[in-house]
Amino acid sequence: MDKVEDTFVLYRIIGNDLYPRHRKGQTRENLKFVLENEPKLEDCEKRWVVNRIIDREEEEAIIKLLQEHNQKYIHLPFYEGEYQRIGWDTNCFKKPGFLATKEFENLNAEQKNNAIAAAYRLKNNYVMNVNGARNIALRDGKMRAKWVLPWDGNCFITSSAWDEIRKDIGKSPYLKYFAVPMARVLDNSQLVSENFTPTPVEEPQLIFRRDSKEEFNERFPYGRRDKVELIWRLGIPGKWDKWKDEPWDQVRSSKSAEEGQFGFAGWVARMFSGKKVLEKDTKQSFKQRGLARTEAIINTIRAIDREKIAKRKSGRELLFYQMDILEEEKSMFLDGAEMPLITRLLDDAEEALTREPYSVTDKKSLPPSGIINDYWHPAPYWWPNKKKNDGLPYVRRDGRRVPGTKLYEPESDKYDRTRLQRVFDDSITLALAWFFTGKKKYAEHGSRILYRFFVNPATKMNPHLKYAQVRKGRNNNQGTSKGIIEMKDIYFYLDAVRLFCKANTIPEEHLVLFKGWLSSYLDWLINSPQGKGERLSDNNHGTYYDLQVAAISDFLEDYPVLFEAIVRAQSRIETQFAPDGAQPKELVRTQPAHYCCFNLQGWIYMTEIAERYGTDLWAYQSRKGSNLIKAVQWLLSHAGKKWPDKLIDEFDEERYLPIWFYAPQESRLKLKKPFFHRSKYSVKTRFFPHDGVRPYWNIGKAEVKRNYKFVNKHPSFVFGIPLRAKTVSKDWKKVCENLETTLYSLSRQKNKNFVIYLAAHEYPPVNYFGLDVRVLLAPFPVPKNIKEIGRDKGRKKQMIGTALRQSGYESLYYMHLDADDILDPSLVETVLKDDNKRGYLITKGYMYDVRNKLIARCNSFWRKSGSCAIMYFKKDEFPLHYKDRNNYFSKFVRHKNFKTVAEEYGRKLEPLTGRMAVYMVNHGENTRKYRGKGNRQQAYVKKNQIKNRRRIQKIRKRFPELF
């Protein structure tokens, strides 16, 4: 290989601007500077990789810029559907529940940020895709040149730098790798100056010889040794040899078999990032770059989850009660439907109206602080010590409550616990009563409760729980961290506040003051000794702590705190649940049935918040196999059975029902118990507050159906649609209408385990009907005339094949689908159910004349339409790039030969039963029409048209897109 003439291909990876590491728009500015100022490099082809740009407008601008300069590029789009399947990597921490441990709390701010970033690793790897893009460039480049340069997008090569690189490589042609040190610049204009003198001391870019074996390690995320990991393996010396790993970092691979086969070649400039303070060649600047990079990664991922994945756009939207379901139920109620739940709700609301607004100043005893506005409640299970004359310090008697600490009992008015619960329960009752009746008296009374308890300076509760669950004689008579759980139901109370806002009964100034109260309480919850202690709890207290923090931060739109709570909650799953679903921490209590239900109920509410922000906690499984699905199954398996430990209090078995109805369907066991009702509306709607079931839990909530985009790691079926370019379309609007019809057809598929790859020159303005559509923008010019339309279509099919290879699917079924054909709703289901691992052929279908609204049977469908075959491919059977024709996928060119090609490869296509597709003709945009051959299609339909009205009605029912 060292005697082969030197040729080079340079790829630069264009990624996202990450604030605060980069200035917005800096990537595009640097690209423009390179295109306008970088000299031609001898024996070197320049190419680009447009890598997962999140901002659609920015991506289009970058691609337009490349096309204007006739640059060749690989396009790796950002797909929300793919990203949405990716969760948090809390398994990277060696200690279970690490984010809720003293070890994490004791880290400094920088280390905590690094640990959080480590939990974001999987999302980082998709969004930044730094090593994935480098490897794609490396593999593509090895087919084009002897030397491949898969470099960062901010690299600039001057003529002198290139001469040095070529010269150094020429001196040692027997080496397989070269390291090219980087020199940072603070002003890009320096690079066009003849007097520029570089100081190349930064982490190098790498050059690979075609026969080199190593690639970049895709486990390592951007910002955490992504390139250095390979530098370590190759043994390239530098300051990185002294860098230390954190406990949560990815484990380094062993040394390469090609270790030492490297040299150094020339230098390369690293263009300006837009932040001068981060580009200096100092230790302080190096550290600041690292901090800014970590912060940028976390901010970017949180922004994607909030802006692109989250199902809620404002803290004023209902969080736990679903507005669309409430509207349906309200309509049923107003139409006269018999709804005992609503009747009970309105009776409760009338009773709530009889109670005056509450305040902590109403209690009949003072807290240890002596301040009446402080919340006050003794620990319920702590009693005077009989062995001491003064009874101090108090001692614990688990399961035995102190008089006055049980809700609603006569002596409870000495303390604030009952009063606080009334605030929560009466408020949600009044809010829902207003919603179902429209009567302002309910919302107005609820708003008065908020004002007196949280807003009025004279009567409001101070925003802390310092004197909740006080154990006298201990901790200076302050409460314990366990007392924080008494505020647990604030999560559903905030939905009541949202409804009062909707009723316009809370003045804006009161809402501002209430938010101020919440902000102060949240700060105390996070930073006080009691809050920190509760955060470390490894049982139900930890669960309800996270629920409070998440619900309040959602209301305040404090997204950093919210996302940290969600990730921390996921990390708790391994500490709270055994691999079989049991809850060891709750089983040791004297009331295990109560605490297991109580804890899991809190987890269900936590999954609801997480799901609203794109995190599926149901899908997570710890290293030991713990997950919430098993937890539900384990708990429900005890329904109707005696628990292993003695129960001090009687257990209400109906408490299984909210869990039964709210957990995902696949977690339900086939239990034939009389109380597992078919309808949630036939079950009681109020439980005792200690049970942890929110009031009216079966109102305003749809049955949980899993979003299978989370469940399936890869799709089993892919549709590939090449779309005609706008400039060569006679009627672009019609092209888009036809595509929308095809997409609507796919939206009706019974089995949704598929994705759609759409190859186009521009994003079509169409409705995607919620489908996972991945648009690939063509890197080649649009067709110049009608004659090139066929070639353009073939190239776009190759683009799709290339994307499938790069996506890493092990195997799948694939169907070429024209953007004007429609399919039977059972097609995907039929194929995946039979799963013959060869493929299928649509032998019979219909042809439909759009303009004349005529339909005909077509008994040789595969001869008439290219949308006729479903092929089975393995990952190495797709093209490496769109010009690569030496693969199984690329053999399927002419649809009349599909059968023969498959048989030659030993995969005989099996005919599908029934008429599974419709070929639409005579709509003005058929390719055959462009070629002047459309009259044959029209004549065929007219000659063989179906005239029987009943049969036409059946076809119309099956294919509603027609007629």
Side-chain angles (χ1 to χ4, degrees), residues 190 192-198:
Q190 293 175 279
V192 295
S193 170
E194 295 181 1
N195 299 322
F196 176 61
T197 303

Side-chain angles (χ1 to χ4, degrees), residues 599-610:
N599 185 40
L600 193 53
Q601 195 72 59
W603 271 106
I604 287 174
Y605 300 142
M606 196 65 206
T607 66
E608 290 185 86
I609 297 179

Side-chain angles (χ1 to χ4, degrees), residues 14 26 37 96 103 107 109 118 157 203 206 221 279 313 413 427 505 547 591 598 724 786 795 798 940:
I14 306 172
Q26 188 65 47
N37 295 282
E103 289 87 342
L107 297 176
I157 306 177
E203 180 183 308
L206 298 176
E279 298 298 345
K313 303 303 179 187
D413 63 352
S427 295
T505 56
L547 180 60
Q591 300 179 64
F598 176 69
R724 182 167 300 149
I786 292 175
R795 278 177 153 190
Q798 286 290 101
Y940 179 91

Side-chain angles (χ1 to χ4, degrees), residues 365-380:
S365 65
L366 284 174
S369 66
I371 301 173
I372 193 69
N373 294 79
D374 285 343
Y375 179 91
W376 153 232
H377 192 226

Side-chain angles (χ1 to χ4, degrees), residues 143-192:
M143 298 182 293
R144 301 180 185 278
K146 177 180 175 180
W147 298 99
V148 185
L149 291 69
W151 287 6
D152 298 341
N154 53 12
C155 291
F156 185 97
I157 306 177
T158 65
S159 296
S160 60
W162 184 243
D163 289 341
E164 288 187 41
I165 290 171
R166 293 197 68 207
K167 181 179 178 181
D168 290 336
I169 290 176
K171 289 178 182 179
S172 307
Y174 49 86
L175 296 175
K176 293 185 177 181
Y177 303 90
F178 282 90
V180 183
M182 289 196 295
R184 292 184 180 275
V185 297
L186 297 177
D187 184 350
N188 288 345
S189 64
Q190 293 175 279
L191 298 172
V192 295

Side-chain angles (χ1 to χ4, degrees), residues 861-872:
F861 191 83
W862 58 280
R863 291 182 178 275
K864 300 287 186 181
S865 172
S867 306
C868 65
I870 300 95
M871 288 78 77
Y872 180 78

Side-chain angles (χ1 to χ4, degrees), residues 360-361 363 369 371-376 416 420 424 452-468 483-484 487 490 512-531 548 552 556:
V360 289
T361 60
K363 56 179 168 282
S369 66
I371 301 173
I372 193 69
N373 294 79
D374 285 343
Y375 179 91
W376 153 232
D416 288 316
L420 177 64
F424 293 155
R452 191 161 190 261
F453 202 91
F454 294 109
V455 176
N456 186 341
T459 59
K460 72 177 181 179
M461 170 187 163
N462 287 331
H464 63 73
L465 294 170
K466 287 181 182 178
Y467 303 101
I484 287 174
M487 188 69 79
I490 196 169
V512 170
L513 290 170
F514 175 62
K515 286 185 174 182
W517 189 97
L518 283 177
S519 183
S520 296
Y521 174 67
L522 181 61
D523 181 71
W524 180 86
L525 203 56
I526 293 170
N527 297 310
S528 69
Q530 285 156 277
Q548 278 194 59
I552 295 170
L556 297 174

Side-chain angles (χ1 to χ4, degrees), residues 810-834:
E810 291 296 323
S811 61
L812 52 80
Y813 288 99
Y814 173 83
M815 182 177 187
H816 285 311
L817 188 61
D818 290 333
D820 58 0
D821 293 334
I822 59 178
L823 302 175
D824 184 274
S826 66
L827 186 138
V828 174
E829 181 181 65
T830 301
V831 169
L832 296 183
K833 186 176 181 180
D834 187 66

